[in-house]
Structure formats: C-alpha cells, structure tokens
Amino acid sequence: MITIKEMANGFQYIEVKNDMACANIALQGAHIFHYVRQEEEPILWLSDMSDFEHDKSIRGGVPICWPWFGMNKRNSNLPQHGFARTLVWELQNSEDRDKNTTHISLKLSDSSETFSLWPYRFELIFNIIISDTLVMELITTNLDEKPFEITQALHSYFNISDITNVAVQGLDKKPYFDALTSKHLHQEGDVIFDKEVDRVYQNVSDEILLLDNFRTIRIKNEGSSSAVVWNPWIEKCARMSAMSEDAYLGMLCIESANAMENCIVIASQNSHTLRATIS
Ligand code: TA6
C-alpha cells in the first residue's frame, strides 16, 4: 500500500507498507527515513530529534549527498554534501509490483536554484525497491553540452544495538582517508569502534557486512568505489545538530559513495548509476 502523507507543518512523505517491509520516504531529498522488515527492529536509524523542516536535512535514514560529498572543494560556503538532500523531488512513479514488493521513483531536475549552486543541466532519478531487501539506485544524467564531475554518497544511517557491539567487515587492507587526522592509511582487519571514526575508504568493491550482536546487515554496492564509515562518538555527537547526547551509541553510518579520488566524470548526454542493496 502506498500513501502520500503530510505532517502538520506541510512536510510531505510517502508511506509504503507491504507484506515484507514498511518504509517512509520524504519528498524533500527523496529521503528514506524509515525502513523496517516485518518482525524486525528498524534497519535505518532516525534521530529522535530529527528536523522535518524545509531546507533542513533529516538526521538519519539515507540522506542523498549530491553533486558533491562533504565540503564543496571550490567554495566552502556552499552547503555540505550538496543540495539534493534539501530540495523537494518529484514523485515520478509508485507501484506495488506484488504483495511483497513496492517500487518508488523520484526525480530532481536542474532549476535556477540549482544552477546558482552548480552551473550544469542534469536529471537525477532515485529508484527505490522496498521488500525484504532495500534497493536504492541513484542515476545521474548529464543534460548539459559539457562534461561534469560529481562526488556522491547514499549516506545511510544504520540502527545498531550498541556501537561497542558492532564490527564492519569487507574493508580489510583497503586504503582510507582519515578525516580526523587527514592521514592516508590502510585498514587492518574489521573496523571496530572505541572513538570517533570518520573515514573514506577507496577502491571498495566487495560486499560490506555490519556485524551486530542481534543481526548482520549486508551492503552490496555497484557503481560505487568508495565507502564512508562514520560514528561521531561522544564529543562530536554533542556538537551535531539534531542528535541527542547518547545518539552515537545506536547509530553507524556506512555510506555507498564515490568520494575524493573516486570522483565520477560524466560526459554530455551520458549517465552514471550508483546502486546499493541492503539485506
Ligand atoms: O559522512 C560523514 C560526514 O561527512 C561527517 O564528517 C559528518 O559531518 C556527517 O557526514 C554528517 O554531516 P551532516 O552535514 O549531515 O551533519
């Protein structure tokens, strides 16, 4: 079942319920902010202080970082993680394929507003398949006459039992940029958490596993060469907007990305697809 809902402040979202899962997707940012499989704990984390306000990114779920990840390298005054996550997208298609599977497709096109931030013509399509797996597909098409370069991330916040109980597998020996020290290092073994972690792993191709005491979440990426792993830990969490002091305990970001050296150049009239499958 697919229902368009509206909050008291006019914030619109799509509610999806089928026999395998439920999900909520905000039109602002094409932002999946809830995904839960039947009889399970939510897969995605959502801050209990999340803003559902226009022009402010929701804290949690899957913010779409596009057409740049992190700080804009040409102009640090531009919004962190680009503008796709704070603009209202157009619902293009919504369909219950069967009792277990729902397809949602949203579109963002260039406008005078986007042009003032990033001077290119584009079309961005976000396809979501909600079932016992969550498939997210971000398709960038260059409608301009000239090539353009993007970095991007599906900035997934995962719901975990406790940050000290989890490990991330699949990044062993991968090079990474440590955003906290600006050092380039290599991963040794599983990623475990006893302090703030903010790392951009490069040349990632294998499936990433989030091992939690009560379940394993599998993240299979295609069209993605980077993976970002982030937990703010105590001090950074206290400074973050829309995060309660202990929020760091129950969340972990593992982001399907193309960031830093793994930027993507898209020729005129060509497309690039970033796909993440969460199971
Ligand atoms: O992806 C990790 C990161 O870049 C962190 O450095 C932190 O800033 C996080 O994203 C959240 O960023 P936001 O702009 O959503 O507050």
Side-chain angles (χ1 to χ4, degrees), residues 57-60 63 65 69-71 79-81 85 153 155 157 179-180 196-200 228-232 236 240-241 243 253 255:
S57 179
I58 298 164
R59 179 66 69 196
C65 304
F69 173 82
M71 196 75 71
Q80 158 131 310
H81 291 328
R85 64 177 177 165
H155 193 299
Y157 286 75
L180 305 174
E196 181 180 357
V197 169
D198 193 347
R199 300 174 184 171
V200 182
V228 182
V229 178
W230 176 59
N231 183 279
K236 179 80 175 280
M240 295 299 298
S241 62
M243 288 184 87
C253 284
E255 304 160 38

Side-chain angles (χ1 to χ4, degrees), residues 1 40 42 48 53 56 67 93 97 135 145 175 206 211 214 224 228 248 252 256 276:
M1 182 164 69
E40 271 198 33
D48 52 15
E53 290 174 33
K56 291 179 85 171
N93 183 38
R97 284 288 170 85
V135 179
E145 296 84 52
D206 303 334
L211 306 178
F214 69 114
S224 160
V228 182
Y248 74 97
L252 175 62
S256 311

